[in-house]
């Protein structure tokens, strides 16, 4: 789904999050999260979201927000995400009744719910093309023109691959190295930091020039 152009003027921020796994006990061990139990993790998720996100923010969730969570709990958590705009990209743990096409959460609490989200961002006078997905993509729309792929799902297991690849692709999920280093409250990442990270990869070269000389489009 395409949503047009987002212009980032102060104080507006574009924030991303993925793989919260609210209510998922086993993710504590799988993701090496510093909690003794799922209740402690859930409290951290709720607190971080309510404290870090502001009404002027745009928030995009890239999937796997909940794990066997009741509709009431889910509504309460999402309602505490005090963003002006909420977009949702569905993950592999999101395909169930909670996200039914005519359900309250999907139709009322999010501006858009989809599988892949495409848009442009104007930041500091520069236009960026963005493709958001739950899973990492090998090829995506406008990749050869410097478009970037922001994803989750991998829980940091693709960090080294992404780092060594010339592709402009980044895992921003809670358990990724990037989120651990730059995540606000350890849970959401700012688009500005994403761009700064990718500029390190390109050595400051603009993304289109980098992609046309370094990246392979399938």
């Amino acid at each position: 789904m395409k949503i047009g152009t987002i212009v980032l003027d102060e104080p507006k921020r574009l924030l991303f999050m993925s793989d919260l796994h609210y209510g998922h006990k086993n993710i504590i061990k799988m993701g090496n999260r510093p909690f003794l139990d799922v209740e402690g993790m859930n409290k951290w998720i709720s607190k971080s979201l309510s404290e870090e996100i502001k009404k002027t923010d745009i928030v995009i969730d890239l999937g796997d927000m909940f794990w066997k969570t009741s509709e009431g709990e889910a509504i309460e958590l999402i309602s505490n995400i005090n963003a002006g705009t909420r977009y949702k990209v569905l993950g592999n743990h999101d395909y169930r009744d909670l996200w039914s096409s005519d359900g309250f959460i999907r139709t009322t609490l999010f501006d858009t719910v989809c599988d892949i989200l495409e848009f442009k961002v104007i930041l500091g006078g520069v236009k960026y093309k963005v493709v958001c997905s739950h899973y990492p993509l090998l090829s995506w729309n406008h990749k050869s023109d410097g478009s970037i792929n922001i994803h989750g799902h991998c829980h940091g297991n693709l960090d080294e691959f992404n780092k060594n690849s010339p592709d402009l692709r980044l895992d921003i999920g809670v358990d990724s190295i990037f989120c651990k280093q730059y995540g606000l409250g350890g849970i959401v990442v700012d688009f500005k930091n994403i761009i700064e990270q990718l500029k390190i990869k390109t050595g400051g070269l603009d993304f289109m020039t980098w992609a046309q000389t370094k990246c392979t489009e399938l």
Side-chain angles (χ1 to χ4, degrees):
M1 178 174 288
K2 297 182 179 181
I3 58 172
T5 301
I6 297 172
V7 180
L8 291 180
D9 296 322
E10 296 293 343
K12 185 188 296 182
R13 299 180 300 176
L14 177 57
L15 305 179
F16 297 84
M17 61 186 185
S18 187
D19 304 290
L20 303 185
H21 282 258
Y22 184 95
H24 191 178
K25 179 180 179 180
N26 289 339
I27 201 64
I28 295 174
K29 181 178 180 180
M30 292 165 57
N32 195 28
R33 298 186 181 184
F35 305 102
L36 296 176
D37 51 44
V38 72
E39 289 77 18
M41 182 182 71
N42 286 350
K43 288 179 180 178
W44 167 71
I45 292 173
S46 299
K47 184 173 184 291
S48 296
L49 292 178
S50 62
E51 289 181 352
E52 298 296 342
I53 298 173
K54 300 176 174 58
K55 189 66 177 176
T56 51
D57 293 334
I58 299 169
V59 172
I60 301 178
D61 177 76
L62 299 185
D64 290 1
M65 184 180 290
F66 303 109
W67 176 267
K68 296 181 179 179
T69 302
S70 70
E71 184 177 27
E73 283 183 283
I75 290 172
E76 181 178 0
L77 181 69
I78 297 168
S79 298
N80 285 335
I81 302 174
N82 192 34
T85 306
R86 305 187 196 101
Y87 295 115
K88 171 70 178 174
V89 173
L90 291 168
N92 54 302
H93 292 301
D94 291 327
Y95 289 93
R96 51 198 178 98
D97 292 343
L98 200 62
W99 298 98
S100 61
S101 59
D102 59 350
F104 177 81
I105 291 177
R106 185 166 182 156
T107 59
T108 306
L109 298 182
F110 286 90
D111 295 81
T112 294
V113 178
C114 58
D115 293 308
I116 294 180
L117 188 66
E118 295 185 38
F119 52 91
K120 297 180 180 67
V121 179
I122 297 178
L123 173 64
V126 180
K127 182 180 288 187
Y128 299 95
K129 297 177 181 178
V130 182
V131 175
C132 293
S133 55
H134 178 64
Y135 307 101
L137 302 177
L138 182 60
S139 185
W140 59 91
N141 197 23
H142 295 299
K143 176 184 175 181
S144 60
D145 294 328
S147 171
I148 66 178
N149 175 217
I150 304 173
H151 70 87
H153 181 66
C154 298
H155 297 271
N157 293 315
L158 206 69
D159 286 343
E160 195 66 21
F161 179 85
N162 279 343
K163 180 181 178 181
N164 294 328
S165 168
D167 292 349
L168 300 175
R169 178 181 53 241
L170 187 65
D171 181 359
I172 58 82
V174 169
D175 302 313
S176 68
I177 292 175
F178 180 74
C179 188
K180 289 177 180 178
Q181 290 180 337
Y182 300 102
L184 304 174
I187 204 166
V188 293
V189 298
D190 194 320
F191 182 73
K192 292 180 180 179
N193 292 122
I194 293 174
I195 295 302
E196 289 173 1
Q197 183 73 12
L198 293 176
K199 281 183 177 179
I200 293 174
K201 171 176 281 192
T202 67
L205 198 65
D206 71 89
F207 290 178
M208 178 177 285
T209 302
W210 172 266
Q212 291 177 347
T213 57
K214 299 288 186 178
C215 300
T216 301
E217 180 67 283
L218 299 178

